[in-house]
Amino acid sequence: MSTTKPVEVVNGISADALGSIAKRLIRRLGDSSFSRLLDEDEERQAINTLKINEADLNALVQFSAYVFEEAAYQTQEPDSFEAHLNESLGVLPKHASVMRNVWESEATAYIGRLREKHLLGSKILSDTTWTTHLCVATSDDDPASTKGPPRSKSDKKNTQATSVFNLHMNNDSEPPLAIEFSHQELYAFFQKLQDIQHGIDSLSS
C-alpha cells in the first residue's frame, strides 16, 4: 500500500480517467475468468496515462475494489453510494459523481456475479456465541503409566484450555458453525483479524 492515502490518489487523477478505470475494474470484480483486475500491460498503460507510480496504482485499484464490494454487500443505492464517498471518505464531489455513475450502470451485473459465487445471499453472520472448556488428561489413563516409580500429582495431569465459537447465520434452519481453538490458535487467529482490520482502516482512512 502506498504511503499516500488512497483517497488522495483518487482525488489526484482526473475524474474522467477515474471513471474509465473504475468501470474496467468493476466489470472484472467477481469474475473468476480474470486472475487479476489489471494485467501487466494494463498496469503499465495506466501508470503512464495517469502519471502515477505502481504503489499509487495499487492503492487506487484496492480502494475502488473496496468501495464497490462494500456497496454490493450493503446493496447501496447510487445516491447513498455517492454521499458515502464524498461525505464519509472525502472523495471530491466530481470524482464521487463519476463513481456513482459507474455504480449505477454496473451494480446489477456485479451483484449478480457475486450471488452466483455465493458471496451474497443467505449465509450472513448474524450472531456469535462462545464457550470455554478445560480438558484434563491424567497419566493414569495410560496402562504404561503404572510401571516405574510413582509420579507426582503435577506429572499425572495435563490441562488444556480451548474456546469454541458458534457462528450463527441469518438462516435459522441451519445449525451454527462451531470452531474450536486452543489458546495458541486463538491468539494467532486474532492477530490475523487485526492485520485484516488494519488493511481495511488504511483503505477507509
Side-chain angles (χ1 to χ4, degrees), residues 186-198:
L186 184 61
Y187 180 78
F189 177 67
F190 277 100
Q191 287 287 101
K192 180 61 68 175
L193 288 179
Q194 189 174 41
D195 292 341
I196 294 172
Q197 184 63 56
H198 287 161

Side-chain angles (χ1 to χ4, degrees), residues 128-144:
T128 304
T129 58
W130 59 274
T131 57
T132 57
H133 300 275
L134 187 63
C135 301
V136 181
T138 64
S139 59
D140 293 338
D141 296 332
D142 183 359

Side-chain angles (χ1 to χ4, degrees), residues 52-122:
I52 58 178
N53 58 39
E54 183 178 356
D56 285 344
L57 177 62
N58 289 335
L60 172 61
V61 170
Q62 291 181 32
F63 176 82
S64 300
Y66 168 74
V67 295
F68 286 139
E69 288 170 357
E70 182 183 46
Y73 280 104
Q74 297 177 3
T75 57
Q76 284 184 320
E77 294 295 329
D79 289 344
S80 176
F81 177 67
E82 181 179 4
H84 175 64
L85 290 176
N86 178 229
E87 298 170 9
S88 300
L89 301 183
V91 176
L92 293 175
K94 187 174 182 180
H95 292 61
S97 177
V98 167
M99 294 286 280
R100 175 203 185 280
N101 293 338
V102 172
W103 177 245
E104 185 175 30
S105 64
E106 302 292 335
T108 300
Y110 173 43
I111 292 174
R113 291 194 299 273
L114 291 180
R115 286 201 173 109
E116 289 178 0
K117 293 180 65 176
H118 306 290
L119 296 180
L120 293 177
S122 61

